[in-house]
Amino acid sequence: MGKRVLVCGAGGFIGSHLVTRLKAEGCWVRGVDLKFPRYAPTEADDFVIGDLRQADFVRGVVDQPFDEVYQLAADMGGAGYVFTGDHDADIMHNSALINLNVLEALRRRNCKRVFYSSSACMYPQENQEDPDNPNCAEDSAYPAHPDSEYGWEKLFSERLYLAYGRNHGLSVRIARYHNIFGELGSWQDGKEKAPAAMCRKVAQCPDGGTIEVWGDGRQTRSFLHVSECLEGTLRLMRSDFTGPVNIGSDEMVTINDLIDRIARIAGKTVRRNHIPGPLGVRGRNSDNRLIAERLGWAPSLPLNNGLERTYAWISAQVAQGKKDA
Ligand code: NAD
């Protein structure tokens, strides 16, 4: 019989892709979220709409000892949501409550294995000031100094999962995701990340036109296509390694380079108008030495390959005049 799997956050970007992948493997999947996936119907066998901040609701959803639980639900978004400061209290309160409730329900039901999606945003900001040389090695996390409350909550929850692992015998797996992107993700609802935002701007821009870019565009990042994110997530979950471990690309680019690549894919000449905006750290790149060492695997899909797939999907949305409601 296939595994019985619970995906929390199954209506979100990564969670909805994860459900599809688990179904293709023959698992029985229950998804939970505040909402259904936005761009394609869920493939989950059972999809429960509800609020994971409510402990009673979470206990009801965890009604059996699932073989695997993936906890992806969080109050999150791109720089425009996380770095303005306007949502700090919500981000910390909502995501911490979800993690507290989920872990307690798993303990009560004797679930054995849980995956938690942390973020590269938990790394200390002073290690990410040099755009050419950011340090995001897993062991650089402490002394802690994330640049956002989102990052602090991730750090708290990493520790919470590890504590439940130590004290309650739960097998915990923790990944620190670095900028995951791809088709079926937010592209114009205010929670979109740089690759989706830039694909949208380029798709909407006439050939030879100008797009607005937050900051000077010289900040560096790496971006991982969601297919590789899932591959790493499943490999980690089914390994004997707890983590935390980076799941990200180490193909670092500047935001200006990202835009140029997307413009080339679109076959357009695009000018950039640099304007003030929320930015985050100056440089960030995934350090993939630990994942290669412990899992014998690291993501390798070239950035351009993922951008081509994402641009094709977003430009089709733009062409059809779809709203990201
Ligand atoms: P997402 O926002 O698309 O998905 C999160 C889902 O959680 C949403 O569908 C949302 O409705 C759901 N959710 C939020 N509050 C809830 C609640 N109270 N009850 C039930 N459901 C609730 O985000 P994503 O990009 O799919 O990210 C998934 C996870 O990976 C998150 O934990 C995120 O912090 C982490 N992560 C993502 C990235 C990335 O680049 N996408 C990077 C680092 C970490």
Side-chain angles (χ1 to χ4, degrees):
M1 209 179 79
K3 288 180 180 156
R4 295 183 74 82
V5 181
L6 177 67
V7 178
C8 301
F13 167 52
I14 302 171
S16 58
H17 281 279
L18 177 61
V19 168
T20 303
R21 171 85 190 247
L22 291 166
K23 283 305 300 168
E25 287 187 353
C27 300
W28 183 92
V29 182
R30 171 175 293 160
V32 190
D33 204 297
L34 289 169
K35 57 177 178 56
F36 286 107
R38 196 175 291 165
Y39 306 108
T42 181
E43 292 183 31
D45 297 277
D46 183 28
F47 198 100
V48 188
I49 296 284
D51 190 338
L52 293 163
R53 291 172 300 182
Q54 309 290 335
D56 288 350
F57 169 73
V58 181
R59 278 196 291 273
V61 161
V62 185
D63 62 354
Q64 54 190 288
F66 287 97
D67 298 307
E68 294 179 350
V69 176
Y70 295 85
Q71 201 316 76
L72 302 166
D75 192 358
M76 61 113 41
Y81 188 76
V82 168
F83 295 117
T84 56
D86 296 345
H87 309 283
D88 284 351
D90 281 350
I91 288 171
M92 299 185 87
H93 175 262
N94 294 342
S95 297
L97 258 187
I98 293 169
N99 288 311
L100 289 161
N101 287 341
V102 168
L103 277 167
E104 194 50 20
L106 298 187
R107 183 184 71 79
R108 285 173 181 236
R109 276 289 170 201
N110 209 16
C111 295
K112 294 292 182 212
R113 189 165 284 234
V114 60
F115 170 88
Y116 173 60
S117 51
S118 181
S119 165
C121 289
M122 45 61 61
Y123 283 115
Q125 47 187 294
E126 48 277 357
N127 292 353
Q128 303 172 80
E129 281 163 6
D130 177 356
D132 299 323
N133 239 335
N135 176 12
C136 293
E138 286 82 349
D139 60 6
S140 71
Y142 296 96
H145 193 201
D147 72 332
S148 66
E149 302 301 355
Y150 170 75
W152 278 107
E153 190 282 325
K154 288 293 187 191
L155 205 51
F156 163 76
S157 288
E158 281 189 6
R159 301 188 69 94
L160 184 68
Y161 279 80
L162 292 171
Y164 267 74
R166 283 195 306 276
N167 296 164
H168 298 306
L170 204 57
S171 279
V172 172
R173 301 288 178 266
I174 302 173
R176 294 174 179 159
Y177 287 160
H178 290 241
N179 286 320
I180 313 303
F181 76 102
E183 311 81 78
L184 309 179
S186 284
W187 58 282
Q188 66 162 16
D189 66 352
K191 289 194 168 189
E192 66 274 19
K193 311 271 181 50
M198 296 310 163
C199 283
R200 183 198 71 230
K201 289 180 185 189
V202 170
Q204 291 171 334
C205 182
D207 192 12
T210 302
I211 65 170
E212 291 190 334
V213 182
W214 289 342
D216 62 10
R218 293 198 199 122
Q219 65 273 37
T220 52
R221 291 291 185 277
S222 68
F223 303 98
L224 184 70
H225 189 259
V226 63
S227 57
E228 289 272 76
C229 168
L230 297 185
E231 187 63 35
T233 298
L234 294 178
R235 282 175 187 257
L236 175 63
M237 184 64 149
R238 292 156 190 181
S239 75
D240 59 6
F241 181 42
T242 297
V245 65
N246 293 326
I247 293 187
S249 163
D250 57 6
E251 190 182 350
M252 189 170 79
V253 295
T254 64
I255 298 299
N256 289 337
D257 185 11
L258 178 76
I259 295 164
D260 292 346
R261 285 167 185 250
I262 296 169
R264 271 198 298 278
I265 289 166
K268 292 181 182 179
T269 303
V270 171
R271 274 190 275 270
R272 301 186 298 262
N273 177 25
H274 296 277
I275 58 166
L279 293 176
V281 294
R282 207 56 199 144
R284 178 172 290 154
N285 193 16
S286 184
D287 184 324
N288 288 348
R289 288 173 296 174
L290 186 62
I291 196 167
E293 180 191 316
R294 298 303 298 262
L295 301 188
W297 176 88
S300 59
L301 190 80
L303 173 61
N304 270 37
N305 188 311
L307 286 177
E308 280 163 14
R309 288 151 76 166
T310 307
Y311 183 77
W313 181 74
I314 291 180
S315 59
Q317 307 298 303
V318 169
Q320 290 164 23
K322 287 210 174 135
K323 286 256 167 11
D324 196 352

